[in-house]
Amino acid sequence: MKRILISFIVLVSFFPRIASAEDTPSAEALLHQMGEASHKLNYELSYILVKKNSIEPFMYRHSHTDKMTLSHLVYLSGSMREVIRRNDEISYLEQGSKPFSIQSESIVAPVIPLLHKDLVPLKAYYDFVSVGRGREAGSPAQVVRIVAKDGNRYSYIVWIDERSKLPLRTDLVSRDGDIIEQYRVVSYTVSEQISGYMSKRLGEIELPKVLPLSSSLQEKATWSVNWLPNGFKDINFNRYRLAMNQRAVESQMYSDGLFNFSVYISEADKLSQKEQSVRQGQRSLYSYIQGDYEISVVGDIPPITAKRIADSVVFRTSVVNSEGK
């Protein structure tokens, strides 16, 4: 009789685990829910960015209505800095510097990397793997790995809040499994009141006018990159001169929807280094001299990938000349 009772208890305790596992959304579904929540909810996140030798605190608010999407990033240490997004207009304000606004789809600043990202289309280049439950900012979370299918880019581990579906922690991981940097939420609020507060404070204030983007003197570069990691596409080409020395520069940005990098081509001079490779956090720089030109690759990719991209650059005609004014 005792054996039967014990068997029954074990069996009953096992069934909830099965049901719980079956009710847990797939990794792909969780990432989709995270993207929807980070865009449509009204919320405030207080978080820290942890790097090898530093910890920086930030506060990020976001609201969304049918008429307007507002985001507000505030740096909580050092000089006063903040970034305001109003639909597709991004304004950068920093103490001691002239504020400016540009038209862009995303904020270039330390915002939690996976916010507002539609990651599902990236499944051709990344594997989405559920690795169980965790706890961040005092809340239970589902943990998902976003693993690059090749060794040419970084990967992420993200802790998704089970209630709000917002990301509470993201770890950027190297090809060797080392953590490069972490974004960790320490407290958060989801409330409709945030929308009213944001609209009242940011919806009507006067911000710097959007800077006109300088038009390129040619639609395409006269050089090409013969090797790119799978999924990366060119998204923006520009041609300009450096203010400090008037050197002409051509740049082409590439993105796979998760990571970005740019290729820069300029005339080599006495200050150009024969070769250099630097990595700071997720950002890598590799440059070298080919003939009369300096080739540089800068972006959120491993140094070895940046070098391979730079080595694949091929010149078709004279690249940077006196026309690039």
Side-chain angles (χ1 to χ4, degrees), residues 6 13 16 31 43 55 74 157 207 239 265 269 271 281 297 303 322:
I6 293 173
S13 63
L31 292 174
Y43 55 88
I55 299 177
V74 179
I157 307 174
L207 293 170
R239 197 180 208 189
I265 307 294
D269 60 17
L271 299 178
V297 176
S322 59

Side-chain angles (χ1 to χ4, degrees), residues 240-249 266-269 272 294 320:
Y240 53 92
R241 283 187 177 273
L242 297 176
M244 63 182 70
N245 56 17
Q246 292 301 300
R247 273 209 301 173
V249 178
S266 62
E267 296 172 334
D269 60 17
S272 300
E294 181 177 4
V320 185

Side-chain angles (χ1 to χ4, degrees), residues 120-152:
V120 175
L122 303 181
K123 60 185 179 181
Y125 316 109
Y126 296 88
D127 290 320
F128 306 145
V129 184
S130 294
V131 293
R133 301 180 74 211
R135 186 169 176 268
E136 287 292 327
S139 298
Q142 292 289 334
V143 186
V144 175
R145 292 181 63 92
I146 304 170
V147 185
K149 291 185 177 182
D150 57 34
N152 300 313

Side-chain angles (χ1 to χ4, degrees), residues 70-310:
L70 292 168
S71 301
H72 187 203
L73 174 69
V74 179
Y75 293 67
L76 298 180
S77 65
S79 61
M80 289 293 296
R81 286 182 290 173
E82 54 186 319
V83 183
I84 298 171
R85 174 184 179 181
R86 199 155 56 186
N87 290 335
D88 61 349
E89 294 182 4
I90 317 292
S91 299
Y92 296 85
L93 303 94
E94 181 175 359
Q95 184 178 10
S97 300
K98 185 177 180 180
F100 65 93
S101 299
I102 62 173
Q103 191 167 357
S104 177
E105 295 181 355
S106 59
I107 294 174
V108 181
V111 176
I112 295 177
L114 303 179
L115 282 173
H116 316 302
K117 294 285 187 181
D118 183 10
L119 300 174
V120 175
L122 303 181
K123 60 185 179 181
Y125 316 109
Y126 296 88
D127 290 320
F128 306 145
V129 184
S130 294
V131 293
R133 301 180 74 211
R135 186 169 176 268
E136 287 292 327
S139 298
Q142 292 289 334
V143 186
V144 175
R145 292 181 63 92
I146 304 170
V147 185
K149 291 185 177 182
D150 57 34
N152 300 313
R153 66 199 94 192
Y154 299 125
S155 299
Y156 275 113
I157 307 174
V158 56
W159 282 251
I160 303 172
D161 182 27
E162 290 186 347
R163 289 174 293 186
S164 68
K165 307 305 179 185
L166 293 171
L168 300 182
R169 171 179 168 183
T170 59
D171 290 2
L172 181 71
V173 182
S174 71
R175 301 188 310 161
D176 299 323
D178 299 324
I179 297 176
I180 299 172
E181 62 182 29
Q182 294 178 324
Y183 286 79
R184 304 190 73 160
V185 172
V186 293
S187 66
Y188 70 101
T189 301
V190 179
S191 172
E192 292 301 318
Q193 294 180 352
I194 293 175
S195 177
Y197 171 82
M198 294 276 283
S199 297
K200 184 177 180 180
R201 185 177 180 188
L202 302 178
E204 303 296 333
I205 65 169
E206 185 176 351
L207 293 170
K209 293 184 179 180
V210 174
L211 294 174
L213 296 177
S214 57
S215 58
S216 302
L217 295 182
Q218 57 186 54
E219 295 182 357
K220 295 183 179 180
T222 51
W223 47 272
S224 61
V225 177
N226 279 358
W227 181 83
L228 293 170
N230 289 334
F232 277 92
K233 298 177 181 178
D234 57 299
I235 59 174
N236 182 52
F237 173 76
N238 197 14
R239 197 180 208 189
Y240 53 92
R241 283 187 177 273
L242 297 176
M244 63 182 70
N245 56 17
Q246 292 301 300
R247 273 209 301 173
V249 178
E250 288 186 359
S251 67
Q252 178 74 63
M253 179 179 284
Y254 299 84
S255 177
D256 70 348
L258 188 56
F259 296 109
N260 303 323
F261 70 86
S262 294
V263 178
Y264 297 89
I265 307 294
S266 62
E267 296 172 334
D269 60 17
K270 295 180 180 179
L271 299 178
S272 300
Q273 297 187 31
K274 185 176 180 180
E275 183 179 22
Q276 63 173 330
S277 181
V278 180
R279 195 192 84 180
Q280 185 175 15
Q282 71 177 31
R283 184 61 56 91
S284 295
L285 160 67
Y286 177 80
S287 66
Y288 79 111
I289 305 298
Q290 183 184 138
D292 296 329
Y293 300 105
E294 181 177 4
I295 302 171
S296 302
V297 176
V298 182
D300 305 328
I301 51 177
I304 191 170
T305 303
K307 182 181 186 305
R308 186 174 177 184
I309 293 167

